[in-house]
């Protein structure tokens, strides 16, 4: 039942959910810290590559879930979305974490530092779990993967190029509440489908 057709709607949903979930995360702060010390394009290259790896792993996990009965998948996805909403609302602020950065400005060292930072920090993170949920929910890995990776790259770009400026105008608490609300709505819809389906 694998759907390989591209859906702009599914891509937009994945983008919105992942973007909102990732924006209040520590990754934007880490990108900002690296971006203030090193060439932004070098930092972004490493961070973008790490996010692509994370999305590929999440899509693979979500695709495995689609092999289960539809009602069971919807129930699991609904519960995981609820857990994601709760995690966002109950999560304490990460504060300023020290980012280990390379001693020189070479492309490979700077991008490598960004890659390793994201690869380790984001493994099993909320957005990776949400991406797997979306892949299982919509059974459209191409659209979900594209939306998720574009969202993560957008957050990384915002963090690297000026996260502090954005946070002056948009309160982090508001972003977190909106993200939690979107996940709660997706949870309700998935659980409704599991019960009614």
């Amino acid at each position: 039942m694998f759907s390989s057709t591209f859906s702009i709607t599914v891509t937009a949903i994945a983008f919105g959910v992942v973007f909102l979930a990732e924006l209040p995360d520590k990754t934007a702060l880490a990108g900002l810290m690296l971006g203030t010390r090193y060439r932004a394009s070098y930092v972004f290259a490493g961070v973008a590559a790490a996010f692509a790896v994370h999305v590929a792993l999440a899509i693979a996990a979500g695709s495995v879930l689609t092999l289960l009965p539809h009602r069971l998948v919807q129930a699991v996805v609904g519960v995981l979305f609820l857990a994601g909403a709760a995690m966002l609302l109950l999560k304490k602020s990460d504060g300023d974490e020290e980012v280990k950065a390379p001693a020189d400005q070479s492309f490979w060292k700077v991008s490598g530092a960004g890659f390793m930072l994201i690869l380790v920090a984001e493994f099993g993170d909320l957005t990776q779990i949400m991406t797997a949920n979306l892949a299982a929910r919509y059974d459209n890995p191409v659209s979900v993967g594209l939306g998720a990776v574009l969202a993560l790259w957008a957050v990384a770009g915002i963090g690297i190029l000026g996260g502090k400026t954005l946070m002056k105008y948009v309160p982090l608490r508001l972003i977190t509440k909106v993200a939690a609300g979107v996940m709660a709505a997706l949870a309700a819809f998935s659980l409704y489908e599991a019960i009614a389906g």
Side-chain angles (χ1 to χ4, degrees):
M1 306 292 268
F2 174 81
S3 174
S4 61
T5 58
F6 177 75
S7 167
I8 192 74
T9 304
V10 172
T11 300
I13 290 169
F15 181 92
V17 169
V18 173
F19 183 86
L20 287 171
E22 188 64 22
L23 203 53
D25 196 62
K26 62 187 174 293
T27 308
L29 177 64
L32 173 69
M33 292 167 83
L34 283 173
T36 58
R37 297 180 194 174
Y38 299 98
R39 186 176 289 184
S41 60
Y42 291 6
V43 175
F44 184 79
V47 168
F51 276 135
V53 170
H54 276 290
V55 168
L57 292 172
I59 293 297
S63 296
V64 169
L65 279 176
T66 62
L67 300 175
L68 299 171
H70 180 72
R71 289 177 79 174
L72 178 61
V73 169
Q74 294 308 322
V76 169
V77 167
V79 168
L80 288 174
F81 273 130
L82 271 179
M87 282 173 63
L88 273 175
L89 290 173
L90 301 174
K91 180 170 95 170
K92 290 185 176 139
S93 179
D94 287 324
D96 290 339
E97 293 180 11
E98 186 60 35
V99 177
K100 278 210 164 190
D104 68 49
Q105 290 276 346
S106 77
F107 171 79
W108 292 110
K109 289 199 177 181
V110 173
S111 62
F115 180 84
M116 290 309 296
L117 175 72
I118 298 305
L119 197 66
V120 172
E122 292 293 303
F123 200 80
D125 193 59
L126 177 64
T127 50
Q128 194 174 32
I129 295 165
M130 291 300 107
T131 302
N133 281 353
L134 289 164
R137 169 96 178 79
Y138 292 105
D139 194 17
N140 192 329
V142 173
S143 301
V144 170
L146 180 62
V149 83
L150 289 176
L152 292 168
W153 289 354
V155 171
I158 289 168
I160 291 166
L161 296 175
K164 280 188 177 171
T165 304
L166 175 72
M167 295 306 165
K168 283 180 187 173
Y169 300 105
V170 183
L172 194 58
R173 192 170 291 195
L174 175 64
I175 294 168
T176 302
K177 286 181 179 176
V178 170
V182 169
M183 284 185 204
L186 285 168
F189 189 70
S190 294
L191 290 170
Y192 171 78
E193 280 197 343
I195 293 165

